[in-house]
Amino acid sequence: MADRDEVPPGPFELEPFDLGRLLSADADGDEVVHRCERWLTGVLDDADVALGAADHEIAGLLAGEGWSVAQVVAGWVRRAGRPAPSRVLVAPGVTRLRG
């Protein structure tokens, strides 16, 4: 199974293929979709998102739409869990992003 940290969380300017490359190693068809669903629900679990039966079903539908869809949705979840970067004054009129 693909390690979630190996897949960039975005933001994305182009359709991402990172997750697809990892999930399709030694698998094809339905197995890739199942791996994608497990990977996406793993991202949600990592974010402490409680999942019900309908949530799992929707995760499966998203995975069936393609790994790029799952990667972008997971990227939203992963980025939403990060603290927003803050600006630090390093000199008069000069700031730097921190975080």
Side-chain angles (χ1 to χ4, degrees):
M1 176 58 70
D3 181 2
R4 287 181 282 285
D5 292 333
E6 293 180 54
V7 179
F12 304 103
E13 298 298 327
L14 301 171
E15 181 179 3
F17 294 101
D18 312 281
L19 180 59
R21 287 186 190 105
L22 288 171
L23 296 179
S24 61
D26 302 322
D28 58 4
D30 289 341
E31 179 57 27
V32 174
V33 173
H34 292 300
R35 288 179 180 185
C36 188
E37 180 181 358
R38 287 192 308 269
W39 184 87
L40 179 56
T41 57
V43 167
L44 295 167
D45 286 341
D46 289 349
D48 294 325
V49 176
L51 299 175
D55 299 309
H56 281 281
E57 186 176 333
I58 296 300
L61 292 172
L62 286 171
E65 288 296 318
W67 55 69
S68 61
V69 172
Q71 184 174 345
V72 169
V73 170
W76 295 339
V77 171
R78 291 169 66 197
R79 292 193 314 263
R82 292 184 190 164
S86 60
R87 295 191 176 272
V88 177
L89 184 65
V90 293
V94 178
T95 60
R96 178 178 17 164
L97 286 177
R98 178 177 65 187

